Amino acid sequence: MYQETFFTKDRDFYKSLLPLFLMVALQNLVAYSVNMADNMMLGHYSQAALNGATTVNSIFFIVQQIALSIGEALVVLASQYWGERRLSPVRRVTGIAVKLAFICGVAAIAISAVMPSQLIAIFTQDAAVISEGVVYLSIIKYTFLLFLLTNVLMAALRSVEIVKISFGISLVSLIINVAINYTLIFGRFGFPEMGIKGAAIGTLIARVVEFMIVIIFLWKKDTRLKLFSENFLKFDRQLRTDYRKVFMPVLISQILWAVSIPIQTGILGRLSSNALAANSVATTFYQYLKVVVQAMSLTSAVMIGKAVGEGIDAKVREDARTLSVLSLAVGIILGLLLFALRLPLLTIYSGLSPEALKLADQLIILMCFVMVGMSYQMPVSAGIMRGAGDVKFMANMNLICIWCIVMPLSFMAAFWWKLPVVWVVLCIQSDQVFKSIPVFVHFKKHQWIKKRTQEA
């Protein structure tokens, strides 16, 4: 009989958790730094080039959400099979996810090839920006397929607790991307000055190298998943049905959230240039620390999925409580860190007006509290509950919280009540805090433990 305690005393749990969390966090930080490096170099080159790349990245953002949905649905099923130490279903589920990623990648390339200017015109009407964006998209579109396939394969490895390779891939990608971008954007070392086209080529080469590394690792080095030891692309009707039941709610949840982001930015952009600039500065720092929370969420999904697969509900509850408290502790630490670093970091933005800097300081302080709420609700809902097989709760919560509460409240605060910018941002970010209430209530019921595996 398993003796349940509030916190798990299993040393193997902590030995698995710490390296998994650290590697995923480092991978996320490095991956985020790739985008930051691109923006900084293009921003130094020309404003039109920067805006063109930023606009195309809005299209890539949708591709990224699809990749995350495919990968996270894979982790839900695969990690439970990993808990049962049944690797053949893990391989076949990976095959299903790979085929879906391939279809989505080819579709994204086709749409980008047929109507590039129309896609970019959704986000801007500036002719110069559209022109630069079309040049960037003509090359960057090929990275969509590579990104989808690479991320699905890395999700498969993560589901069986292999994560060091993911960090290595991200680090190599950062180095290659920065080196080629610097060389081709500005025309260094005898190469022609290519501007935004050079940035696209750098990103494409980095994505090719990422894909090649993960394939070589799976073929030659991996001794756990052994993806190519059988025909992992073989059709499996039951597993495909199981995967679809998990994937659709995850995709809906991601899209509901993703579509709200540009709308929220548009609300602030219509208030004042100071509001847009201050929010951009505040969210840049916030996003850097947010990747740590996302790492905790991804790690929790693997850890809990594995525990569900082991078939001891008391252990699942015990591990889940431990992870939820650790997630809250991480949020408090990140909130305090953001508060302590805000003034030194703001000195970087000497070009901003005094009003924008003052507003940015106020928004960062607000983000410190938002960070704590997000650090609890995201790892618990998207990590613990989703990893345990409950994929519908988060989709329903995002629908109600974002589209029935946050968006109407934000519009009213900005354009009806005409509240100060800080209060408008509070309304926009409020879901990260009040989501904690339904998450906590649902978490206490333990109805989120849903075994998704088939009988052997």
Side-chain angles (χ1 to χ4, degrees), residues 1-14 17 296 300 303-304 307-308 310-327 380 384 388 443-444 446 448-449:
M1 185 71 178
Y2 189 88
Q3 186 63 43
E4 183 177 354
T5 57
F6 187 85
F7 292 116
T8 182
K9 297 179 181 178
D10 183 3
R11 291 186 178 182
D12 289 338
F13 171 86
Y14 296 103
L17 172 65
M296 195 66 189
S300 297
M303 298 293 294
I304 292 299
V308 171
E310 290 170 354
I312 306 173
D313 284 1
K315 185 179 187 303
V316 175
R317 294 191 295 267
E318 190 178 88
D319 290 354
R321 281 193 296 268
T322 304
L323 287 167
S324 68
V325 173
L326 288 175
S327 299
V380 174
I384 294 170
F443 180 68
K444 292 287 286 183
H446 300 128
W448 37 267
I449 303 175

Side-chain angles (χ1 to χ4, degrees), residues 245-256:
K245 289 178 180 178
V246 174
F247 169 69
M248 290 309 299
V250 173
L251 177 66
I252 291 168
S253 178
Q254 291 296 133
I255 296 300
L256 284 172

Side-chain angles (χ1 to χ4, degrees), residues 129-430:
V129 174
I130 292 175
S131 177
E132 291 283 339
V134 168
V135 172
Y136 191 65
L137 184 59
S138 67
I139 297 171
I140 212 76
K141 65 176 181 281
Y142 298 110
T143 69
F144 297 165
L145 176 60
L146 294 167
F147 178 82
L148 279 156
L149 292 174
T150 301
N151 275 266
V152 166
L153 292 173
M154 288 197 293
L157 289 169
R158 187 170 67 246
S159 68
V160 295
E161 300 178 82
I162 299 175
V163 289
K164 289 183 180 180
I165 181 63
S166 300
F167 169 63
I169 288 171
S170 296
L171 187 59
V172 170
S173 176
L174 174 63
I175 294 169
I176 291 174
N177 204 20
V178 169
I180 295 177
N181 279 5
Y182 176 75
T183 301
L184 297 184
I185 290 174
F186 303 105
R188 309 299 189 194
F189 312 116
F191 285 86
E193 181 181 322
M194 301 176 71
I196 194 170
K197 188 175 181 180
I201 292 171
T203 302
L204 176 59
I205 293 173
R207 296 299 185 205
V208 170
V209 172
E210 284 179 359
F211 182 67
M212 290 176 61
I213 291 174
V214 74
I215 290 295
I216 292 170
F217 176 82
L218 285 165
W219 187 271
K220 297 291 186 180
K221 297 291 185 181
D222 170 44
T223 58
R224 184 176 294 176
L225 180 59
K226 298 179 181 178
L227 187 64
F228 299 112
S229 65
E230 63 178 271
N231 181 10
F232 72 98
L233 295 174
K234 182 180 178 181
F235 179 75
D236 188 316
R237 186 183 301 275
Q238 185 58 54
L239 272 177
R240 189 182 68 172
T241 301
D242 293 344
Y243 181 83
R244 185 174 64 247
K245 289 178 180 178
V246 174
F247 169 69
M248 290 309 299
V250 173
L251 177 66
I252 291 168
S253 178
Q254 291 296 133
I255 296 300
L256 284 172
W257 172 78
V259 172
S260 71
I261 300 301
I263 297 175
Q264 292 170 357
T265 303
I267 291 173
L268 291 172
R270 283 170 171 75
L271 294 181
S272 72
S273 59
N274 283 338
L276 192 60
N279 185 66
S280 176
V281 171
T283 52
T284 296
F285 301 146
Y286 172 75
Q287 291 292 342
Y288 241 116
L289 295 180
K290 182 180 177 180
V291 299
V292 179
V293 181
Q294 290 171 329
M296 195 66 189
S297 180
L298 293 170
T299 302
S300 297
V302 174
M303 298 293 294
I304 292 299
K306 178 184 173 184
V308 171
E310 290 170 354
I312 306 173
D313 284 1
K315 185 179 187 303
V316 175
R317 294 191 295 267
E318 190 178 88
D319 290 354
R321 281 193 296 268
T322 304
L323 287 167
S324 68
V325 173
L326 288 175
S327 299
L328 183 59
V330 166
I332 293 171
I333 292 169
L334 292 176
L336 292 172
L337 181 64
L338 184 58
F339 181 82
L341 293 177
R342 74 188 196 286
L343 294 179
L345 289 171
L346 284 173
T347 59
I348 300 171
Y349 294 86
S350 56
L352 268 65
S353 67
E355 294 80 8
L357 282 172
K358 181 180 179 181
L359 184 56
D361 182 41
Q362 294 172 344
L363 294 184
I364 292 174
I365 293 173
L366 172 63
M367 293 297 186
C368 295
F369 294 96
V370 171
M371 181 69 71
V372 177
M374 180 191 65
S375 297
Y376 173 76
Q377 66 87 12
M378 181 187 289
V380 174
S381 60
I384 294 170
M385 295 177 186
R386 186 180 283 175
D390 187 350
V391 293
K392 292 183 178 179
F393 174 76
M394 190 172 179
N396 293 332
M397 185 175 67
N398 278 345
L399 173 63
I400 296 170
C401 291
I402 295 176
W403 291 100
C404 298
I405 300 176
V406 170
M407 298 308 296
L409 188 64
S410 300
F411 272 102
M412 288 189 289
F415 307 121
W416 189 0
W417 302 325
K418 299 188 184 300
L419 296 179
V421 173
V422 174
W423 287 97
V424 175
V425 174
L426 176 61
C427 292
I428 290 173
Q429 297 289 347
S430 61

